[in-house]
Amino acid sequence: MPKIVNLSNLNKTIRYLKKNGVKQAYYAAKERVGRMRKESYRFEPLSNEALQVQREKARAFSCRFSILVPAYETPEEYLKAMVDSVLNQTYGNFELIIADASESDRVKKVMASYHDERILYKRLKENGGISANTNQALKDATGDYAALLDHDDLLTPDALYEMALKIEESDKIGIKLQLLYSDEDKCDTKTLHFYGVHKKTSFNQDLLLSNNYICHFLVMERSLMQKLGFRSAYDGAQDFDLVLRAVHEIIKSNDLDADRKLPIAHVSKVLYHWRCHAASTAENPESKRYAYDAGKRAVEDFLKMNGWKGRVRHLRHLGFYRVDYEPDLFTNRPDVALIGGKLLNKKNQVAGGIYTSGGKALYAGLHKEYSGYMHRAVLQQEARVIDVRCMQASGEAKKVWEELMGVSYPEDPLTGRLDYRKCLKEDADYSEISRKFCEAIRKKNLKIVWDPAMTEKI
């Protein structure tokens, strides 16, 4: 378990206090301490035997990766560790393109010590910023897929293998993947301690509009990445901007079936170590506040691309956003049929509101002021099942309700929500009704969005 009281956590609390006030700082600190006490994450590297098995299986794969690394005055220790993590991959069909914008020869001298034909070192004439520098690397990419790696981070030895495996498996069922991402964790400067694991969800568009949860390890069809490129106006959030534009392009160019399957895949394994030091955003979000402003503009651009009218605003935690639609979500998005909210018990704890298809209540037991794992409990997100006791429905969804339930859909004139007490018995099985109704909505190829700002006491 990491130390609870340390300089890093103290600084985070002070920054949060200045930004959000005493009450929110109190709950944020209390939640962080509780979470750290429970944290038991331990990164388990694969055995040599398992890695050898991957090397043998990888011979059947054919896709090639272009790994893009914009470098700038990278410390020798970090640079070597990064390069070695790539060269140690169990899947070796790749090219490593390093675009060096350093003023000194620091990076050049290190790269001169490597003699692997898969490495392409480019010395840039000037430092054009992270987007321009990455575009220089992207220009020379020839692989089937392009992958992004920061100059001081690390890939696990199985990173490319797992991506290639997912690509091959999808090809066999007729899906050509265009975007892939994995889980990730953080490590200290010496890569001795691993912590802060980020276990991600399958693709969730509304969650993505709330936060760049995709982040690392990002792999994208090379032709798509070259078509879109990186935009310097979004430096600091250039990857987020790229992903949002890619998602828009992918949705626009794909016909969706009833399950709304997209050529986007989540590899649910930690394949990326994000090194934390004083200047990194992982350790000190305030070090690159401009990045979060750029992220906000990227979300605003996504709304404009889709013709949605709304206001994007920062939430209490940096890098997290909320979209307030004008005049409401249904008016802007005909793809959304239901909006669900958060159920709170008498102790001001989350009692339900959003569920897995198996009926598990997400965020249950959290105090209403807590934000939960990766702050997801306070983020708008697409849901599979929401609770009918705190729900708004579109006109089409109301028709589905009446057909399925055999009763009218009474709407509360003050809240616009289903007045469930008027149409359901007191002893009704709300869980089963919610599941069946949401399943019927999804079969219509319509979305369900959970909005934690909408609450109901039960």
Side-chain angles (χ1 to χ4, degrees), residues 26 44 50 65 80 88 98 123 141 181 221 225 271 293 332 337 355 366 373 400-401 404 427 446 456:
Y26 165 76
E44 296 287 351
F65 296 96
K80 284 185 173 180
N88 289 332
I98 297 179
R123 183 68 182 268
Y181 59 97
E221 193 176 34
M225 189 181 290
L271 303 180
D293 292 331
N332 283 276
Y355 309 93
L366 277 180
Y373 179 69
V400 174
W401 171 273
L404 182 70
D427 61 348
L446 294 168
E456 180 79 17

Side-chain angles (χ1 to χ4, degrees), residues 323-381:
V323 179
D324 295 312
Y325 292 92
E326 304 167 7
D328 60 34
L329 195 154
F330 294 135
T331 302
N332 283 276
R333 296 177 54 182
D335 61 324
V336 176
L338 295 178
I339 305 171
K342 183 188 295 182
L343 297 179
L344 299 173
N345 63 22
K346 294 178 180 178
K347 295 182 179 179
N348 280 324
Q349 296 172 327
V350 177
I354 180 172
Y355 309 93
T356 65
S357 54
K360 179 183 177 182
L362 300 178
Y363 320 124
L366 277 180
H367 190 277
K368 71 172 186 176
E369 298 293 345
Y370 285 6
S371 61
Y373 179 69
M374 295 295 167
H375 308 306
R376 288 182 199 154
V378 297
L379 303 179
Q380 293 157 302
Q381 57 202 269

Side-chain angles (χ1 to χ4, degrees), residues 231-283:
R231 302 195 293 182
S232 294
Y234 297 84
D235 275 1
Q238 70 284 340
D239 295 0
F240 190 21
D241 172 60
L242 172 71
V243 167
L244 288 171
R245 287 184 291 124
V247 166
H248 177 261
E249 188 76 17
I250 290 169
I251 292 175
K252 184 178 69 174
S253 59
N254 283 272
D255 293 326
L256 306 185
D257 60 21
D259 294 323
R260 295 183 17 266
K261 290 179 181 177
L262 284 168
I264 299 175
H266 166 224
V267 178
S268 56
K269 295 183 179 182
V270 172
L271 303 180
Y272 193 103
H273 300 307
W274 190 358
R275 192 192 299 266
C276 294
H277 45 82
S280 70
T281 51
E283 182 65 20

